Amino acid sequence: MEWLYHLGVPEDQIEELASTSANTVPVMMPYIDAFFMPRNDTDRPKVVPDGAVNFAFVGQFAETARDTIFTTEYSMRTGMEAVYTLLNVDRGVPEVWGSTYDVRDLLNASIMLRDGKPLSEMDMGFLEKLVAKKLLGKIEDTDIKKMLEEYHVI
């Protein structure tokens, strides 16, 4: 009934049409590993398919550029893209955060995987400690050492 309402069907006809004319086709949900399978841009429908004027696909199984599915942000971006495109809103969807290529994010993620503990608290053997000390000596007074300290790596 809600779908018919949003399509603009006159309200006095909605209940009748919903009970006598609506067909539902049950389908299988994708397996959870579908999120991680290799894919290309033809595996999923575009958010707003070519020629569409009043419908769009949103969520995890719609295709949008430069993003990774399985995130809330992906679902939000597909919704924004659908609305902006169909309503001709002159506004861009926020860019995807490029954390893949940001060494600061990689350092921070590495430390979070260690429960926030710096590498200096790792259980290392004598030889490993010696190598770590020598390497730290090589980066003394450098921007690299400052960054490692700032992100609590050392």
Side-chain angles (χ1 to χ4, degrees):
M1 290 174 62
E2 182 178 351
W3 181 69
L4 292 171
Y5 174 81
H6 288 296
L7 287 176
V9 173
E11 290 184 47
D12 61 331
Q13 297 176 23
I14 290 177
E15 190 169 345
E16 170 69 21
L17 288 171
S19 62
T20 61
S21 300
N23 293 323
T24 302
V25 179
V27 296
M28 295 288 290
M29 289 294 291
Y31 291 111
I32 188 64
D33 63 351
F35 288 112
F36 308 108
M37 299 299 290
R39 64 187 175 100
N40 64 45
D41 61 359
T42 61
D43 290 341
R44 298 182 173 101
K46 293 179 182 176
V47 172
V48 179
D50 296 335
V53 295
N54 64 353
F55 74 94
F57 296 98
V58 296
Q60 304 295 314
F61 291 97
E63 187 64 44
T64 191
R66 298 179 316 279
D67 207 344
T68 303
I69 65 169
F70 205 65
T71 65
T72 304
E73 292 82 4
Y74 190 93
S75 295
M76 295 302 296
R77 280 194 194 88
T78 59
M80 293 171 83
E81 184 178 337
V83 170
Y84 295 168
T85 301
L86 293 173
L87 298 177
N88 295 316
V89 175
D90 187 22
R91 184 174 182 181
V93 176
E95 281 297 316
V96 177
W97 175 247
S99 60
T100 303
Y101 306 106
D102 191 327
V103 71
R104 296 166 297 184
D105 284 330
L106 296 173
L107 290 172
N108 191 48
S110 298
I111 295 307
M112 291 302 114
L113 287 171
R114 296 190 34 73
D115 296 325
K117 296 178 182 173
L119 296 178
S120 57
E121 291 184 23
M122 282 180 69
D123 185 23
M124 294 187 272
F126 174 75
L127 187 57
E128 293 166 314
K129 286 180 184 178
L130 188 64
V131 169
K133 185 175 181 179
K134 188 157 184 92
L135 288 173
L136 287 174
K138 297 244 182 223
I139 62 170
E140 193 66 41
D141 299 323
T142 66
D143 288 335
I144 293 173
K145 183 170 184 194
K146 290 177 190 172
M147 186 172 17
L148 292 176
E149 289 173 340
E150 180 181 346
Y151 288 91
H152 309 290
V153 176
I154 56 174

